[in-house]
Amino acid sequence: MLRSILSTTKNRSIIINSRALSTQINIQPSKTPVDLGHLADNPGAVTQRLRVGRGPGSGKGKTAGRGHKGQKARAGNGRPVPWFEGGQTPLVRSLPKRGFNNFHSKEYQELNLDKLQHWINTGRLDASQPITMKHLLDSRCIHKIEDGVKLLSVGADTFNIPVTIEVSRASQKAIEAIEKAGGKITTRYYNALGLRALIHPEKFVQMPKLAAPLRKEDIKYYSDVKNRGYLAEQA
C-alpha cells in the first residue's frame, strides 16, 4: 500500500514538473512533418525569373520595361565605349598618332652598386660565391625579372667588395667599379625560356640549352670585350 502511494505521488510530481517546463519553454509542435519530403527554402529566399514580353497582363509586355525607342531600348546595345561622344568624332580619333612602340624593346630591372653592397654587408648575399640573377631575386634585392637585370653605377665611388656577378647588361662605370674592387662581371643573354629555367630550375626535368642571341644588336653587345660579354670570353 505504501509503495503504491509513493509511486503515484512520484508520477504526479513528474507530470506537474513536465507541464511547468513546457509552459516555460513554450514548445510549439511542428505544423509539417520534418523529413526529406518537406524540405524547402525560406519564404522569399528564391524568386521566379521575370519573364518580359509575354503580353500586357504581366505589366512587362510589348516594350518589356524598356520604354519607347531610344538608345536604351535597342537589342544587343550595351554600354558604349568610354570614348564615345554621342556620334560626333571623338577626341581619340581627332588627334593624330605620334611615335610607336618598339616590339623588340627590353625591360631590364635596374640594380645599383650601393644596393648590391648593402645586401652583401647585411648578409643577404654571399660575396664568396658567384652571384646570379636568381640570387638577386631570391634575396629580394630585386623584386621581379622581366627581361633581365642591368647593373648601374650609383654608389660606384664607395663600392669595395670583390664579387663575381652575372647580369644581362651593365654600364661602363659599374664594370669599372666591380673590377677596381677586385671582382669580375659577366653579361649574358637570356631569352624567356632561359630566364624561367634560371629562376625555377625545379620545374624542369631536363634543363634546356641556353639560347644564343639572334638580333645583330645583341650579338654585337655580347661579343664586345668592353661590355664583358660572355661571347667575347668564349672567343
Side-chain angles (χ1 to χ4, degrees), residues 54-61:
R54 297 298 188 272
S58 64
K60 296 294 181 181

Side-chain angles (χ1 to χ4, degrees), residues 170 172 175 185-187 220-222 224-229:
Q172 293 300 315
I175 294 174
I185 182 171
T186 304
T187 56
K220 182 179 179 181
Y221 182 88
Y222 292 107
D224 195 348
V225 180
K226 182 178 65 174
N227 299 323
R228 303 302 184 265

